[in-house]
Amino acid sequence: MSWQEAEVRELKVGRYMLVDDVPCKIVDITMSKPGKHGEAKGRIVAIGVFDGQKRSVVYPVKHKVKVPIIEKKNAQVLSIANNEAQLMDSETFETFVVQLDPTEIERVKPGTEVSYWETMGVRKIMFQN
């Protein structure tokens, strides 16, 4: 299990949550006031960590949502072929392949060290802007 639970009222901008089983970074949260017969609701806008898609959801503030556990690691780039980079983890020496977007190919060079995130069985190279 690479996630834990949290209530909507505990979430903050800049943290992460799962929306439709996709890890997303929260960019906006608005909480409504409770109504006469209902409870307060939270509207959350989040952007997918791996796909960049914007998603929004509305839940009661006491609703439990899944929060992904994101492991941030380093790896050395071994080779690049087509739109894939072969990496070797700096701690475990495990080798694996990650998909690259066409814009990322120029930024990754064999022999360099990169940071990558791993969660929900997916790995992605993360670049500092």
Side-chain angles (χ1 to χ4, degrees), residues 19-20 22 24-25 27-28 43-49 51-57:
V19 179
D20 301 327
V22 176
C24 298
K25 184 174 185 174
V27 293
D28 186 43
R43 182 177 191 279
I44 303 166
V45 178
I47 297 178
V49 173
D51 61 7
Q53 269 191 331
K54 189 175 187 180
R55 296 170 170 85
S56 63
V57 291

Side-chain angles (χ1 to χ4, degrees), residues 7 10 21 23 26 37 49-50 58 61 63 89 92 97 100 106 119 126:
E7 288 187 1
E10 298 169 347
D21 287 332
I26 299 169
H37 297 289
V49 173
F50 299 122
V58 177
V61 293
H63 182 79
D89 187 278
T92 64
V97 174
L100 296 173
E106 299 170 1
T119 185
M126 301 307 283

Side-chain angles (χ1 to χ4, degrees), residues 64-127:
K64 292 201 182 280
V65 294
K66 295 176 183 174
V67 177
I69 298 170
I70 299 175
E71 296 183 52
K72 299 173 183 177
K73 302 179 180 181
N74 294 319
Q76 182 179 1
V77 180
L78 298 177
S79 65
I80 299 172
N82 301 327
N83 288 347
E84 297 179 336
Q86 183 179 21
L87 305 177
M88 179 177 64
D89 187 278
S90 298
E91 291 181 19
T92 64
F93 304 110
E94 170 192 5
T95 59
F96 55 92
V97 174
V98 295
Q99 295 292 327
L100 296 173
D101 293 331
T103 58
E104 297 174 338
I105 294 172
E106 299 170 1
R107 299 175 74 179
V108 179
K109 304 280 184 242
T112 60
E113 180 123 340
V114 294
S115 296
Y116 74 94
W117 289 8
E118 180 178 9
T119 185
M120 309 294 292
V122 180
R123 295 177 174 139
K124 179 164 174 64
I125 296 175
M126 301 307 283
F127 297 99

